[in-house]
């Protein structure tokens, strides 16, 4: 699998994401939106966007490990959050989990609420495997 990330100089800077991913591979892996819920369905990081982002990314990482996916296989990420203006905080929390891996193309969507009260963020991803 190859993944080339491109940020054209004619587009605005891409803080925490890439504008384009050109990927080739044979197996597409879709990950459901992950939130800050632990295995007992308890909320991690109540009222703390950073803690919830880290928890959601750790849950995504767990799903990725089961599927045999690394951060370099992720070709698209979508983030739904109640605080879309906090993109730098979200990016920092993502980097904390990924170790600063290159950011794929990403869409950040502001929402009025998520599936359960107290959830502040949900992160889904698409990966491509060789």
């Amino acid at each position: 699998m190859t993944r080339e990330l491109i940020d054209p100089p004619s587009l605005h800077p891409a803080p925490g994401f890439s504008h384009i991913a050109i990927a080739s591979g044979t197996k597409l892996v879709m990950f459901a939106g992950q939130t800050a819920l632990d295995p007992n369905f308890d909320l991690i990081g109540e009222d703390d966007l950073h803690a919830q982002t880290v928890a959601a990314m750790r849950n995504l990482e767990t799903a990725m490990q089961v599927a045999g996916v690394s951060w370099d296989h992720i070709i698209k990420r979508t983030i739904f959050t109640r605080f879309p203006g906090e993109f730098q905080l979200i990016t920092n929390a993502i980097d904390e989990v990924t170790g600063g891996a290159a950011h794929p193309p990403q869409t950040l969507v502001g929402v009025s609420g998520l599936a359960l009260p107290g959830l502040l963020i949900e992160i889904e991803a698409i990966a491509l495997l060789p």
Side-chain angles (χ1 to χ4, degrees):
M1 194 234 36
T2 62
R3 178 185 77 157
E4 179 185 4
L5 301 177
I6 303 170
D7 289 309
S10 56
L11 292 176
H12 64 80
F17 67 96
S18 296
H19 282 288
I20 302 166
I22 299 174
S24 63
T26 60
K27 188 184 295 184
L28 195 59
V29 184
M30 309 288 228
F31 294 98
Q34 297 299 310
T35 62
L37 294 175
D38 70 13
N40 296 317
F41 218 69
D42 293 323
L43 180 63
I44 300 167
E46 187 174 338
D47 295 327
D48 184 339
L49 181 59
H50 180 270
Q52 285 200 24
T53 303
V54 168
M57 287 296 291
R58 294 265 183 238
N59 286 341
L60 176 58
E61 185 175 47
T62 297
M64 290 167 54
Q65 289 169 349
V66 170
V69 169
S70 75
W71 296 114
D72 289 336
H73 294 120
I74 301 296
I75 59 171
K76 176 72 169 85
R77 183 170 58 214
T78 305
I79 298 174
F80 304 92
T81 181
R82 295 191 45 222
F83 300 97
E86 295 292 338
F87 58 87
Q88 190 58 59
L89 180 148
I90 292 167
T91 298
N92 292 343
I94 289 170
D95 285 341
E96 187 175 315
V97 176
T98 67
H103 293 272
Q106 170 180 288
T107 301
L108 186 102
V109 181
V111 296
S112 61
L114 292 161
L116 297 172
L119 287 174
L120 305 177
I121 192 162
E122 184 168 341
I123 303 170
E124 68 179 25
I126 300 172
L128 189 64
L129 290 173

